[in-house]
Amino acid sequence: EVQLVESGGGLVQAGGSLRLSCATSGFTFDDYAIAWFRQAPGKEREGVACITTSASKFAGNIYYTDSAKGRFTISSDKAKNTVYLQMNSLKPEDTAVYYCAVGEAGGLNPGWYDYWGQGTQVTVSS
């Protein structure tokens, strides 16, 4: 059974940092793409960053949405089957529930991902 468990969310002031973690199990870590998405109230789910593996469509690549470039960094620890999202210079508009997801293809389209975590709330105060 595929399981994804996010952690690391919280309340932070604008300009601050948070590191989200996504602990995974139930699949071969190297065979899939893992991405971070976010969803703010009343808005559609948005892809933030993804990291892919040699077996996936976007092999070996890391992608960021434009608003995350230069501020967020996605990384993975294969020994721990965990993916991280380091978020710096946070802005109030980054406030959302952040989800990690696993899929075969990669990219930032939520429709390409099959398994999702429960989400972790990130709130950035001004």
Side-chain angles (χ1 to χ4, degrees):
E1 179 187 5
V2 175
Q3 290 191 329
L4 307 172
V5 180
E6 302 98 334
S7 61
L11 173 64
V12 63
Q13 288 188 332
S17 299
L18 284 173
R19 189 177 81 154
L20 306 182
S21 299
C22 174
T24 74
S25 62
F27 65 98
T28 303
F29 194 77
D30 281 351
D31 288 347
Y32 293 88
I34 301 177
W36 286 96
F37 293 84
R38 65 186 180 187
Q39 189 165 20
K43 294 188 177 182
E44 293 186 352
R45 192 164 294 189
E46 172 192 27
V48 177
C50 76
I51 187 166
T52 63
T53 71
S54 60
S56 63
K57 179 180 179 180
F58 300 93
N61 290 327
I62 291 176
Y63 292 89
Y64 297 97
T65 192
D66 286 345
S67 62
K69 291 177 182 176
R71 299 190 299 127
F72 295 1
T73 302
I74 188 171
S75 62
S76 64
D77 184 336
K78 294 180 181 179
K80 296 182 179 180
N81 285 352
T82 299
V83 174
Y84 303 97
L85 185 67
Q86 177 67 44
M87 304 188 295
N88 299 327
S89 302
L90 283 162
K91 304 175 182 180
E93 51 264 44
D94 294 317
T95 295
V97 178
Y98 284 70
Y99 301 88
C100 64
V102 174
E104 293 186 5
L108 296 178
N109 184 334
W112 295 342
Y113 289 82
D114 303 309
Y115 302 97
W116 294 80
Q118 82 289 348
T120 185
Q121 176 70 47
V122 171
T123 303
V124 184
S125 63
S126 58

